Amino acid sequence: MGDDAPRIAFQGERGAYGDEAARAFFGASAVLIPCPTFRAVFEAVAEGRVDGGVVPMESALAGPVAEVVDLLLEFTPRLSGELRLRVRHCLLAPPGRPLEGLTRALSHPQALAQCAGWLRRHHLQPVPEVNTAVAARRVSEEAPAGTAAIASRAAAELYGLTIVAEGIEDSPDNATRFLAVGPALPPRTGTRRKTSLVLTVNDGPGALAGVLGAFAARGVNVARLESRPGGVRAWDYRWCLDVDGAQDVPEVRAALDEARSACTSLQVLGSYAISD
């Protein structure tokens, strides 16, 4: 786009975890473009208005982000990297508001799910918001009575909020796996690779088993398997697979060739480094 610095879209606002993930992917020199929705990120990538995008694929605690999975199936963009971001949630409130006076917590549904136990123990009502940073900005600008936000330490600093409690996620292993979509290539870290693909199979016995068997016969591990509605006819499904190894590895290439014979469609989204 005429500039050495890549333009990278993410969902949310400054201070969101998507903002943090995009910087971790592409470095401080990247030009980050906030988008109001996940669909807007995919559209910006598909239309060439940005060099790439960063989206959350799944949470270690709350599972896949269904909307992002559906958008991957709809847009089938190139996948160029993954990042496992350790997520440490904070309860943020306007200065001078103690925990005892709070009754509600605003945040993205995934963040609320990741802090559900802590919220129950402290009798705080979870209130969904479109993004963690949006929640922080609302609490900062509107200061609704009894209301806090769940967001990052960076969001607290950005929006002038006090950290009432930190590390309120229910598991110390809380992390979110982000994907880099589009042509922009993040710096490669690590030597282990995986390949992501999308496929449909014939509606018959053993069709999916034939696909999985092609990989098993060659010792290729299927690391993730997920189905989503096909969106055309009732009870039709599309399958998302992650397999260990790059598509140019002979075993993976041979397995893909055999798997295609059992599929009505098979598209490789990309091979990329596994985030440790």
Side-chain angles (χ1 to χ4, degrees):
M1 292 190 176
D3 194 328
D4 290 339
R7 292 170 55 84
I8 306 299
F10 71 95
Q11 188 271 334
E13 299 184 3
R14 290 182 58 207
Y17 291 108
D19 181 357
E20 183 178 348
R23 294 184 191 280
F25 258 127
F26 292 97
S29 64
V31 179
L32 301 189
I33 311 297
C35 295
T37 63
F38 292 131
R39 175 171 288 277
V41 173
F42 282 86
E43 289 175 344
V45 172
E47 295 167 7
R49 291 184 279 112
V50 295
D51 300 302
V54 170
V55 292
M57 179 67 178
E58 63 181 333
S59 160
L61 298 182
V65 182
E67 182 183 356
V68 171
V69 177
D70 288 339
L71 289 166
L72 283 171
L73 293 171
E74 178 180 346
F75 286 88
T76 59
R78 174 180 179 178
L79 301 184
S80 57
E82 76 166 14
L83 172 74
R84 286 184 173 89
L85 181 71
R86 174 70 172 88
V87 175
R88 188 167 175 82
H89 291 305
C90 301
L91 188 72
L92 311 180
R97 287 193 184 177
L99 176 61
E100 292 74 18
L102 299 174
T103 58
R104 305 193 312 155
L106 273 62
S107 199
H108 187 274
Q110 286 274 336
L112 295 173
Q114 293 163 9
C115 302
W118 194 93
L119 293 175
R120 285 194 300 270
R121 291 193 300 274
H122 292 84
H123 310 291
L124 294 178
Q125 176 190 358
V127 180
E129 185 52 89
V130 296
N131 183 266
T132 57
V134 171
R137 179 174 56 79
R138 272 196 62 193
V139 169
S140 175
E141 293 177 353
E142 302 173 16
T147 302
I150 295 176
S152 66
R153 173 175 282 273
E157 297 171 356
L158 188 62
Y159 296 108
L161 297 172
T162 298
I163 297 176
V164 178
E166 187 169 8
I168 65 172
E169 61 276 4
D170 293 333
S171 170
D173 297 325
N174 190 36
T176 296
R177 184 167 73 98
F178 285 84
L179 292 177
V181 301
L185 296 175
R188 179 174 171 178
T189 57
T191 57
R192 298 172 58 226
R193 310 278 280 175
K194 71 165 56 170
T195 297
S196 293
L197 50 146
V198 173
L199 57 88
T200 57
V201 295
N202 293 310
D203 184 17
L208 182 60
V211 174
L212 300 180
F215 293 102
R218 291 165 178 81
V220 177
N221 180 53
V222 176
R224 185 177 71 91
L225 172 65
E226 184 176 356
S227 67
R228 298 295 297 168
V232 178
R233 295 185 304 173
W235 319 120
D236 278 350
Y237 292 92
R238 301 180 77 184
W239 296 86
C240 304
L241 273 73
D242 288 347
V243 300
D244 291 342
Q247 59 183 313
D248 57 0
V249 172
E251 293 81 4
V252 176
R253 185 170 60 244
L256 287 170
D257 289 341
E258 181 179 336
R260 283 189 175 91
S261 65
C263 297
T264 53
S265 68
L266 187 154
Q267 181 174 356
V268 175
L269 300 183
S271 295
Y272 48 91
I274 294 175
S275 176
D276 295 325

